Amino acid sequence: CSSDLEMLGEYLNLPLPTVHRVLEFLITHGLVVQTEKGLDMGPAITHVEAGSPLVSRHHMNWRMQAMKRVDRAGADELFFTFPIVISEKTQGQIREIFVQAIERCMPLVKDSPSEKLSCINIDLFNIES
């Protein structure tokens, strides 16, 4: 529907041809569903597998969104950067804590009403020269 496209374009600050092209892709792949009332969300959770050739681009795209947003962060948002020097064992323990936190979030997300488009980025990586 034309009004849906215009609302999405305005909300996302994107040109209508881009919104139309992306929306066609999302509908084709079942990520957005066309109903009698208009557009509706497809699956509540999507996941790009670690082995996918698209995974690095997926991570980069969402981190770019975080970089755009950090200067305008609201009180309900969280941006956290924590450069550290730790042991290999401690790094493994922190990684496990993050994995457990992600697993605890999944059911919350799945059962949540669709009110806000949000993104969680969690990174733990080694700095190499």
Side-chain angles (χ1 to χ4, degrees):
C1 178
S2 174
S3 64
D4 286 334
L5 284 175
E6 291 169 8
M7 285 177 17
L8 282 169
E10 187 176 314
Y11 181 80
L12 298 170
N13 195 26
L14 292 171
L16 289 181
T18 301
V19 174
H20 186 264
R21 187 180 75 249
V22 171
L23 199 53
E24 282 183 354
F25 173 87
L26 295 173
I27 291 170
T28 299
H29 291 87
L31 300 170
V32 171
V33 180
Q34 185 90 41
T35 68
E36 290 179 11
K37 295 180 181 180
L39 301 173
D40 202 359
M41 194 174 90
I45 296 173
T46 60
H47 179 73
V48 178
E49 294 293 330
S52 169
L54 303 175
V55 76
S56 62
R57 176 56 62 188
H58 171 71
H59 289 304
M60 285 188 281
N61 287 341
W62 283 110
R63 278 152 184 85
M64 285 180 7
Q65 292 299 318
M67 289 188 304
K68 288 181 190 177
R69 182 69 188 171
V70 71
D71 288 334
R72 302 178 289 121
D76 64 335
E77 296 172 303
L78 173 66
F79 292 88
F80 180 74
T81 303
F82 185 40
I84 52 179
V85 178
I86 55 175
S87 71
E88 200 169 313
K89 179 181 176 182
T90 301
Q91 181 175 340
Q93 292 169 325
I94 292 170
R95 184 185 185 285
E96 184 56 33
I97 290 168
F98 287 161
V99 169
Q100 290 171 5
I102 293 164
E103 289 171 352
R104 288 182 58 196
C105 289
M106 289 302 188
L108 297 174
V109 170
K110 198 173 190 177
D111 297 336
S112 177
S114 303
E115 298 172 353
K116 284 188 171 189
L117 177 59
S118 302
C119 178
I120 299 171
N121 291 330
I122 299 173
D123 300 308
L124 173 63
F125 58 96
N126 297 319
I127 307 297
E128 299 175 1
S129 53

